[in-house]
Amino acid sequence: MNITYQSTRGGEKGLTASQAILKGLACDGGLFMPDRIPKLDVSIEELAKMTYQETAYEVMKLFLTDFTEEELKTCIAGAYDEKFDCPEIAVLSKADGDYYLELYHGSTIAFKDMALSILPHLMTTAAKKNGVDNEIVILAATSGDTGKAGMAGFADVPGTRIIVFYPKGGVSRIQELQMVTQKGENTAVAAIRGNFDDAQTGVKKIFGDREFEKRLAEKGFQLSSANSINVGRLVPQIVYYVYAYAKLVENGEIENGEVINVTVPTGNFGNILAAYLAKQMGMPIGRLICASNENKVLYDFFSTGTYDRERPFILTSSPSMDILISSNLERLIYLSCGCDEAKTAELMRELSADGKYTVTEEMREFMADFWGGYAGEEENAGVIRSVFESCGYLMDTHTGVAAAVSRQYKKETGDGRKMLIASTASPFKFSGSVLEAIRGPQEGMDEFAVVDELSRVSGVPVPAAVEEIRTAPIRHNRECGPEEMEALVAEILGC
Ligand SMILES: *Cc1c(COP(=O)(O)O)cnc(C)c1O
């Protein structure tokens, strides 16, 4: 049965998966959602024997129904290959009683690689299927990791360009170096004088500008999105939750059918939404613990039912989660009101006009699987240190937030089910903060001295992605204000 996609705000309906991937964001500013959430049609016993690539096919074929088997398998094979530093693609590690699902073994050492290594394949296949001759211009706002993973994925892919905006001063030094040294004739990156939300809002504004769309079309360009709002990112993210559960069964860590909880360090709400969809597809997942840093807008939302973005934006040591407008939450809002487009559109209008909205009691009830928590800097550093000291396992600052919140959850609820924690970045991507967490403040060391020290202290080799940027030349130095983003895109494209 074919699945079609519609906008959460009702403005577009009946798109195929490939059309939804090509468009990224719907014309009315809404996000594309499948008309239903399919159930897995293979058993957990069967999944337990499968490779990552085979699992990916079983999950993705159910959502991307207009892709042929051959197309999908070619996309999967092209994405999950030696770019990853281990054949498992996603790695399970047990530490201090919890299971860490390491999603950072791809080429840019953050979990964004899990979806952004396949998105270019899905996008170019979708273009071919739909007879698109225009060059596809990917615009992405990044809190640090999407930008690099997106550029790495799209670099020199024929028929595509990618332009990335990141908040100046709002990403780690390693993240910034990864982006500004990016190769590829079709890549461009600019620092925005503003925060991530400014960058994300700016990109959404460009997508909504019909005049600009026309101007680009005359020059043979069309825009698409690599942000986590694209269904071409959401669907591949479901895969690793299915895979992880099946592997826990295969490894004898859990019984087949045993319900486990999942904690996800959350920013734009894409990763945790994928875990929720895995549950809807039939995986035995209990609670979804949404872990925030001090930008705890989601914690407040789950505890009160009011989403209020009017608050100071705090720069933390988990910068990829420094977000006040969690775009993918709109998809949960939509599901929670029975796929009521008018209601969703109304709440999103309130968010942009008044900076807040409140959901109904029934909608809150619908979301009862979610539990929100947040961790400050000290608590985060404390858990990174204690897990490292007790079992030698090193995690990054985003995973630290999740580990801290999963402890809060167990303590407050007494829920003793086994916990899967999404580990979203290599500790080396945030070396300064991680080394400080385990060794206290370090004076007078440059970024790479810190990296080397972290490697020495932990016994973990420096990842190739970090070695690469040690000596790589800087290739990008653009900077602009949020209001100049559209003009910059035009300049880059020569329009
Ligand atoms: C993007 C990112 C997150 C947040 O994921 P969302 O899907 O935006 O909620 C968490 N940790 C790291 C390291 C990231 O790059």
Side-chain angles (χ1 to χ4, degrees), residues 19-26 30-32 224-225 229-231 331:
Q19 288 167 338
I21 289 171
L22 275 175
K23 292 205 78 163
L25 191 68
L31 276 53
F32 288 114
S224 189
S225 167
I229 50 174
N230 195 313
V231 291
R331 290 191 158 112

Side-chain angles (χ1 to χ4, degrees), residues 434-485:
V434 173
L435 185 63
E436 183 169 335
I438 60 175
R439 282 291 183 272
Q442 308 287 312
E443 298 288 321
M445 285 165 87
D446 80 5
E447 196 60 47
F448 290 100
V450 171
V451 163
D452 292 333
E453 179 64 7
L454 190 63
S455 175
R456 197 188 61 76
V457 169
S458 65
V460 179
V462 177
V466 175
E467 281 304 343
E468 261 166 35
I469 55 171
R470 219 185 261 269
T471 51
I474 306 271
R475 300 187 69 252
H476 306 270
N477 59 3
R478 289 190 174 89
E479 188 183 312
C480 72
E483 68 294 338
E484 298 160 337
M485 288 167 63

Side-chain angles (χ1 to χ4, degrees), residues 202-279:
V203 165
K204 283 189 179 169
K205 222 182 251 166
I206 299 174
F207 275 110
D209 185 339
R210 293 289 152 257
E211 280 306 307
F212 192 58
E213 184 181 4
K214 253 191 246 151
R215 221 168 102 200
L216 293 182
E218 280 162 17
K219 299 274 184 175
F221 294 116
Q222 77 184 56
L223 297 177
S224 189
S225 167
N227 275 111
S228 58
I229 50 174
N230 195 313
V231 291
R233 272 189 64 184
L234 185 58
V235 172
Q237 290 178 178
I238 302 170
V239 174
Y240 44 78
Y241 290 107
V242 174
Y243 178 75
Y245 186 91
K247 287 300 162 223
L248 286 173
V249 172
E250 172 75 357
N251 300 343
E253 298 289 346
I254 58 174
E255 299 292 330
N256 186 354
E258 180 177 344
V259 175
I260 62 167
N261 295 323
V262 176
T263 303
V264 184
T266 296
N268 227 357
F269 209 74
N271 199 2
I272 194 167
L273 187 73
Y276 177 71
L277 294 178
K279 173 173 177 156

